[in-house]
Amino acid sequence: MQRESNSKVFIFDTTLRDGEQAPGCSMSLREKLKIAHALNELNVDVIEAGFAAASPGDFESLKTIASEIDGATICSLARCNPQDIEAAAQAIDANPNKRIHVFVATSDIHLEHKLDMTQDAVVKAAFEGVKLAKTFCDNVEFSPEDASRTDRNFLVEVVNATIAAGATTINIPDTVGYTIPFEYGNLFKYLIENCEGSANVIFSAHCHDDLGLSVANSLAALESGARQVECTINGIGERAGNTSLEEICMAIKTREEYFNFDTQIETKKLYPTSRLVASITGMHIPRNKAVVGENAFSHEAGIHQHGMLQHASTYEIMKPEDVGIAKSNLVLGKHSGRHAFLDRVTELGFSLNTEELNAAFVEFKKLADRKKEIFDSDIEAIVINSESGITGPWELVDLEISSGKSWGASADIKLTHNDGRILENSSNGIGPIESVFKALEDLTGYSLKLTNFEIHSVSVGEDAQGEVTVTVRYDGQDYRGHGISTDIIESGALAYLEVINRIDRKKISRIR
Ligand code: KIV
Ligand code: ZN
């Protein structure tokens, strides 16, 4: 008997929109662009790159991403009002593959407590929103927010109206992560059976992970006829997050014989993309996270190790190489040349342009002078953190620390500014980190509130690099910075200085 060909599942990535809504995850334009390029290389179908009307920053990022990305469809979210829809259309105009995603809440709870609208008014707003969006682009998605808690008859009414207005994708969000797989799957079946014109649109799942069910719910929706999944890298997003892209894609791939679905995702790029997003957002991946966690492919128990030695399939359902985790951990050192470095970078799933490669190679050589063996994780950290664009205006030239258990610590710091200033200062604190941060604040004239400080080891051994991520509140906004060095105090100084540079650059761009 001939087997039917697999159905394509469209992967709609919303790391840069719903993912960015997670506390402390807001990103600069440059960071968003870096992630957008990585998502494009991962071969996602749609990149929801922001919410154009939300802020001038969102508008600018969408505009830049839409003009630079060639491949994936670029999408902006919009409420059902002309200002939002026009802003979305303008922001993504430069890209030939574009989508406007309009939404309005439909549950009684939202209508009563948030929108203060009647059901009739919501149907009208949804219809007119989609109609207006259609005047700017053909590809329009509609989402009835809080769909999983919406009365089914009313949901059918709203979906009918938006299909009639020209929506091409109907997304059914489980906004508050409330539904369970069987129930959510049934909802799709019901809508597909009862909505007029449902055969001509793509139904989409959008789940949140409040009960830890977002991947299971999304798979249930696919089994009931949905053909698009909305997800984020590492599952970042509001509250407990969104459906994790790497988990849904690997479930579809690993259980292909069960689902008969395909995605066009380059799964070998999953791990590097996951590392990139973790590094940029400062949201580290738990060790036991499915697919991309550090422990996902390690085997501790003797009986498992024995099985693995006989045959990997005894305890492994996926191959680490399939998600981009390199098989070998080849060690490079100070005698390794550009070729060996480039080979390793490529093997690890990164694609760098010449400028990025040059910057990364310089960092590699610097690190090789300080550290005997350079592991894959060191190379990943170099590539992810290598700066090929705007840096400064401040640069750390020198840092000296002394500390004692009985008296605390003092830091001597020397900085340069790209206007030619060379500044030096010494500060005391309870410990080295506090004294460094104080010295940096005194030298640059900022008073910052440190809200989070995280450190983790990039590779193994006493000379391993330490990666520090700091989150700082300034002028009502959160800023994040990363620093990486074999000296953890220096990592802290670099992370704090990155925050100061971000604030400075923002001020300068406002003055211009
Ligand atoms: O969770 C949600 O309902 C959303 C919509 C805006 C699609 O993110
Ligand atoms: Zn959402």
Side-chain angles (χ1 to χ4, degrees):
M1 199 175 73
Q2 204 167 359
R3 194 170 155 253
E4 271 185 40
S5 60
N6 286 351
S7 264
K8 158 136 190 201
V9 171
F10 292 87
I11 298 297
F12 174 114
D13 180 277
T14 182
T15 306
L16 298 175
R17 200 279 297 169
D18 221 345
E20 207 215 6
Q21 282 174 223
C25 277
S26 62
M27 303 168 214
S28 67
L29 193 159
R30 214 171 130 260
E31 290 169 332
K32 285 187 183 174
L33 196 56
K34 213 165 175 177
I35 291 180
H37 278 291
L39 293 171
N40 200 35
E41 300 245 335
L42 187 61
N43 219 15
V44 303
D45 297 278
V46 184
I47 299 174
E48 186 167 53
F51 182 172
S55 72
D58 251 43
F59 183 86
E60 274 316 307
S61 321
L62 267 159
K63 211 166 168 186
T64 311
I65 290 169
S67 59
E68 282 211 14
I69 296 295
D70 179 13
T73 296
I74 304 300
C75 173
S76 170
L77 185 66
R79 283 165 298 191
C80 286
N81 66 58
Q83 300 89 301
D84 272 35
I85 294 165
E86 278 155 23
Q90 232 186 311
I92 58 176
D93 188 47
N95 203 297
N97 302 323
K98 51 189 172 225
R99 174 182 296 186
I100 300 178
H101 175 189
V102 289
F103 78 101
V104 64
T106 49
S107 65
D108 287 345
I109 301 175
H110 280 234
L111 261 61
E112 187 186 337
H113 300 292
K114 187 179 89 174
L115 297 178
D116 194 19
M117 280 169 89
T118 62
Q119 288 191 338
D120 285 349
V122 166
V123 175
K124 188 165 181 285
F127 178 82
E128 281 170 3
V130 172
K131 261 237 128 34
L132 178 61
K134 282 295 270 192
T135 63
F136 297 107
C137 76
D138 212 39
N139 190 342
V140 174
E141 172 169 330
F142 173 73
S143 288
E145 190 191 6
D146 206 13
S148 56
R149 293 193 301 169
T150 298
D151 172 77
R152 280 193 177 191
N153 293 331
F154 180 54
L155 198 52
V156 169
E157 199 184 325
V158 180
V159 171
N160 281 345
T162 52
I163 294 178
T168 43
T169 300
I170 298 292
N171 182 43
I172 304 297
D174 179 32
T175 305
V176 290
Y178 179 72
T179 198
I180 55 168
F182 189 67
E183 178 188 45
Y184 195 53
N186 261 333
L187 178 59
F188 278 81
K189 246 188 222 131
Y190 183 83
L191 292 172
I192 291 169
E193 274 166 17
N194 290 286
C195 292
E196 287 151 29
S198 63
N200 306 322
V201 297
I202 294 202
F203 276 82
S204 164
H206 177 114
C207 298
H208 283 264
D209 209 31
D210 299 66
L211 294 174
L213 292 170
S214 60
V215 173
N217 286 335
S218 303
L219 289 170
L222 291 176
E223 286 198 275
S224 299
R227 285 296 173 270
Q228 175 180 281
V229 176
E230 305 202 348
C231 44
T232 60
I233 300 292
N234 300 335
I236 64 167
E238 286 271 22
R239 307 180 309 277
N242 289 60
T243 302
S244 138
L245 183 148
E246 55 282 359
E247 291 177 24
I248 195 90
C249 291
M250 287 315 288
I252 289 173
K253 185 177 164 84
T254 308
R255 298 305 312 276
E256 194 235 325
E257 91 302 341
Y258 175 83
F259 288 116
N260 292 330
F261 296 144
D262 273 333
T263 71
Q264 61 174 35
I265 293 297
E266 292 280 346
T267 61
K268 285 185 167 37
K269 303 259 175 189
L270 285 172
Y271 181 69
T273 313
S274 156
R275 288 281 295 119
L276 176 71
V277 170
S279 170
I280 286 180
T281 58
M283 295 269 281
H284 291 298
I285 308 160
R287 277 176 175 270
N288 64 338
K289 162 91 171 62
V291 181
V292 290
E294 229 166 276
N295 289 358
F297 294 95
S298 61
H299 304 268
E300 252 337 282
I303 200 165
H304 288 206
Q305 288 177 350
H306 177 73
M308 284 293 292
L309 287 173
Q310 306 301 314
H311 203 283
S313 66
T314 49
Y315 286 101
E316 240 169 43
I317 57 164
M318 299 171 262
K319 291 200 213 101
E321 312 89 90
D322 286 350
V323 301
I325 298 178
K327 239 190 301 179
S328 67
N329 194 5
L330 261 184
V331 178
L332 299 186
K334 78 171 172 198
H335 300 297
S336 309
R338 212 183 145 80
H339 255 310
F341 179 70
L342 177 60
D343 279 356
R344 208 63 213 128
V345 166
T346 313
E347 174 82 1
L348 291 172
F350 296 100
S351 333
L352 301 184
N353 62 31
T354 315
E355 197 190 346
E356 286 165 339
L357 176 66
N358 290 344
F361 190 63
V362 168
E363 291 307 314
F364 165 73
K365 281 290 176 188
K366 277 194 211 158
L367 181 62
D369 274 339
R370 297 173 85 168
K371 193 172 183 289
K372 238 175 48 213
E373 296 177 314
I374 312 271
F375 298 100
D376 288 345
S377 44
D378 291 315
I379 296 177
E380 276 164 23
I382 289 173
V383 172
I384 287 166
N385 292 291
S386 73
E387 300 278 348
S388 58
I390 333 141
T391 55
W394 296 99
E395 202 177 314
L396 181 68
V397 180
D398 205 5
L399 166 65
E400 270 179 41
I401 300 289
S402 51
S403 68
K405 194 163 180 263
S406 54
W407 63 271
S410 87
D412 294 305
I413 289 196
K414 187 172 174 184
L415 295 182
T416 55
H417 189 279
N418 65 13
D419 63 7
R421 276 179 290 162
I422 303 173
L423 303 177
E424 282 183 67
N425 176 283
S426 156
S427 282
N428 297 326
I430 299 169
I433 288 290
E434 192 196 14
S435 54
V436 165
F437 289 2
K438 267 192 183 163
L440 289 173
E441 290 190 16
D442 287 348
L443 283 173
T444 57
Y446 283 105
S447 174
L448 308 175
K449 185 170 168 42
L450 179 72
T451 53
N452 193 34
F453 180 99
E454 279 177 41
I455 181 160
H456 88 275
S457 166
V458 167
S459 55
V460 290
E462 286 82 12
D463 64 351
Q465 297 192 90
E467 182 180 23
V468 169
T469 306
V470 293
T471 311
V472 157
R473 198 144 184 89
Y474 175 74
D475 206 11
Q477 264 213 294
D478 285 332
Y479 293 85
R480 246 182 356 270
H482 311 273
I484 189 157
S485 167
T486 45
D487 171 349
I488 56 170
I489 307 298
E490 189 180 319
S491 306
L494 291 170
Y496 215 63
L497 199 58
E498 187 178 301
V499 164
I500 291 171
N501 277 327
R502 272 172 204 239
I503 299 172
D504 250 23
R505 288 200 296 266
K506 196 165 172 183
K507 275 196 178 157
I508 292 163
S509 69
R510 263 203 220 122
I511 294 165
R512 281 182 192 139

